[in-house]
């Protein structure tokens, strides 16, 4: 992009050159003094153009070359307003480099004393304020960038937390499913249900026969702290009732899902119930 920092610095130097050239041509009385100001101003502009096209050549001197030309120009021009031209170089480097800033303020103050006597000391706080004030814009932009960076970092951290939580939940579900599959090696429904009870730390598990299929959905009884799950068997259906220990467990959706899965896995062991004695028919 052509409108970069080097271009802006060169443009500011061109404006300083234009100030001293116009002042010399329009207001300086003597030809010798006028010619000296024009020559120094032209050299100043030449150095600025060299720095623009070959910035790597004057990289270390870029913060100081202005003073070699501006201090003589401010003295030779005899113009009190030239004091403020000495503040321009401090804008190039402040706050990264404080040396040009102090040179600008001190030289402007010295020139103010030279032109106005002790009254020129009033220039010091003014030039100090004018030199520092542009840095507030840069500081504000820096704070805005930092704020955007931290907001993006916080959003990324929140996204990572959500992904980590999802992975941990999936890992836990996978471990639970593997344990349930291991319980299928049980030697009967009693051993299977005992393993489920120990696995989820339940108070008790009971299985009742259902004479009709009116109950098809799982239901929760807060009074008895139970989760009842209807299960379809090869012959009829059954109602598996899980007795919990704490009311908060009734709100655990993951626990409810696992218990429903455990109840449905009973059809691997039970075929149905005998009508008269309600004895369990074990699957062979």
């Amino acid at each position: 992009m052509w409108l970069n920092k080097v271009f802006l610095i060169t443009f500011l130097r061109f404006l300083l050159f234009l100030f001293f050239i116009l002042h010399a041509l329009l207001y300086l009385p003597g030809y010798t003094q006028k010619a000296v100001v024009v020559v120094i101003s032209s050299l100043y502009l030449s150095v600025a153009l060299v720095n623009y096209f070959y910035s790597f050549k004057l990289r270390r001197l870029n913060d100081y070359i202005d003073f070699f030309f501006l201090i003589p120009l401010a003295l030779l021009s005899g113009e009190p307003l030239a004091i403020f031209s000495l503040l321009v170089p401090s804008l190039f480097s402040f706050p990264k480099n404080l040396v040009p800033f102090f040179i600008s303020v001190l030289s402007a103050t010295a020139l103010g004393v030279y032109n106005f006597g002790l009254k020129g000391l009033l220039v010091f706080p003014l030039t100090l304020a004018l030199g520092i004030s542009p840095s507030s814009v840069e500081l504000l932009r820096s704070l805005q960038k930092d704020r955007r960076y931290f907001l993006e970092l916080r959003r990324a951290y929140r996204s990572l937390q959500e992904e980590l939580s999802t992975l941990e939940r999936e890992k836990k579900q996978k471990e639970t499913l593997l344990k349930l599959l291991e319980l299928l090696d049980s030697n009967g429904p009693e051993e299977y249900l005992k393993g489920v009870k120990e696995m989820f730390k339940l108070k008790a598990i009971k299985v009742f026969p259902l004479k009709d299929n009116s109950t098809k959905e799982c239901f929760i009884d807060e009074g008895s702290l139970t989760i009842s799950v209807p299960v379809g068997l090869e012959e009829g259906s059954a109602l598996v009732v899980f007795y919990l220990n704490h009311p908060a467990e009734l709100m655990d959706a993951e626990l409810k899902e696992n218990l429903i899965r455990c109840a449905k896995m009973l059809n691997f062991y039970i075929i149905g119930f005998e009508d008269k004695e309600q004895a369990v028919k074990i699957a062979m």
Side-chain angles (χ1 to χ4, degrees):
M1 186 177 179
W2 65 273
L3 189 58
N4 52 22
K5 182 178 179 180
V6 179
F7 175 82
L8 292 176
I9 292 175
T10 305
F11 182 68
L12 289 175
R13 287 169 174 167
F14 171 76
L15 293 179
L16 292 176
F17 159 80
L18 193 62
F19 168 78
F20 286 108
I21 284 291
L22 292 177
H23 181 267
L25 296 177
L26 298 177
Y27 299 105
L28 289 181
Y31 289 103
T32 302
Q33 187 180 4
K34 184 179 298 187
V36 172
V37 173
V38 169
V39 169
I40 297 177
S41 300
S42 301
L43 290 174
Y44 179 54
L45 180 62
S46 300
V47 173
L49 293 175
V50 170
N51 182 71
Y52 177 71
F53 291 106
Y54 306 99
S55 58
F56 59 92
K57 296 291 185 180
L58 301 174
R59 183 175 300 174
R60 295 182 179 179
L61 299 176
N62 189 40
D63 295 337
Y64 305 98
I65 57 175
D66 300 272
F67 300 109
F68 292 104
F69 300 96
L70 293 180
I71 293 177
L73 286 172
L75 288 171
L76 293 172
S77 65
E79 173 59 49
L81 291 178
I83 295 174
F84 299 103
S85 67
L86 297 172
L87 293 177
V88 177
S90 66
L91 307 181
F92 303 162
S93 56
F94 187 82
K96 294 181 180 179
N97 190 353
L98 296 179
V99 177
F101 169 71
F102 287 116
I103 295 176
S104 293
V105 173
L106 294 177
S107 58
T109 304
L111 189 61
V113 174
Y114 175 79
N115 289 329
F116 304 107
L118 292 178
K119 188 178 179 180
L121 292 175
L122 296 175
V123 174
F124 178 76
L126 178 61
T127 54
L128 190 65
L130 291 175
I132 294 175
S133 58
S135 66
S136 60
V137 178
E138 184 177 352
L139 179 61
L140 179 61
R141 290 176 179 174
S142 177
L143 292 176
Q144 289 175 342
K145 290 180 180 179
D146 291 340
R147 181 177 180 273
R148 285 195 297 267
Y149 171 76
F150 283 111
L151 287 176
E152 293 175 359
L153 188 63
R154 190 168 69 176
R155 283 194 293 267
Y157 177 72
R158 188 182 298 114
S159 177
L160 287 175
Q161 272 191 324
E162 292 176 356
E163 292 179 1
L164 181 61
S165 177
T166 302
L167 289 175
E168 289 179 349
R169 185 166 58 251
E170 291 177 353
K171 180 183 177 182
K172 185 177 180 181
Q173 291 175 352
K174 182 179 179 182
E175 291 176 350
T176 303
L177 185 59
L178 289 175
K179 291 180 180 179
L180 290 177
L181 292 175
E182 291 177 358
L183 288 177
L184 290 178
D185 296 332
S186 303
N187 296 323
E190 294 84 0
E191 184 178 345
Y192 170 75
L193 292 175
K194 182 179 180 182
V196 172
K197 177 184 175 183
E198 293 176 354
M199 179 177 175
F200 295 103
K201 299 179 181 179
L202 304 175
K203 185 181 293 185
I205 302 176
K206 294 183 179 180
V207 182
F208 302 97
L210 285 177
K211 296 181 179 181
D212 53 22
N213 295 326
S214 59
T215 303
K216 295 183 179 180
E217 295 184 358
C218 170
F219 59 92
I220 298 174
D221 187 354
E222 297 181 356
S224 59
L225 298 180
T226 58
I227 297 178
S228 302
V229 183
V231 179
L233 305 175
E234 291 186 16
E235 298 180 7
S237 58
L239 183 67
V240 183
V241 182
F242 299 95
Y243 293 83
L244 307 182
N245 297 288
H246 195 275
E249 294 178 341
L250 297 173
M251 307 301 295
D252 191 339
E254 185 176 351
L255 176 62
K256 178 182 176 182
E257 182 181 353
N258 287 324
L259 293 179
I260 293 174
R261 186 180 292 113
C262 292
K264 292 182 177 180
M265 291 171 67
L266 264 179
N267 55 22
F268 289 107
Y269 297 97
I270 301 176
I271 296 177
F273 294 87
E274 294 181 358
D275 294 336
K276 295 182 179 180
E277 300 178 358
Q278 295 185 353
V280 176
K281 291 184 178 180
I282 306 300
M284 301 301 293

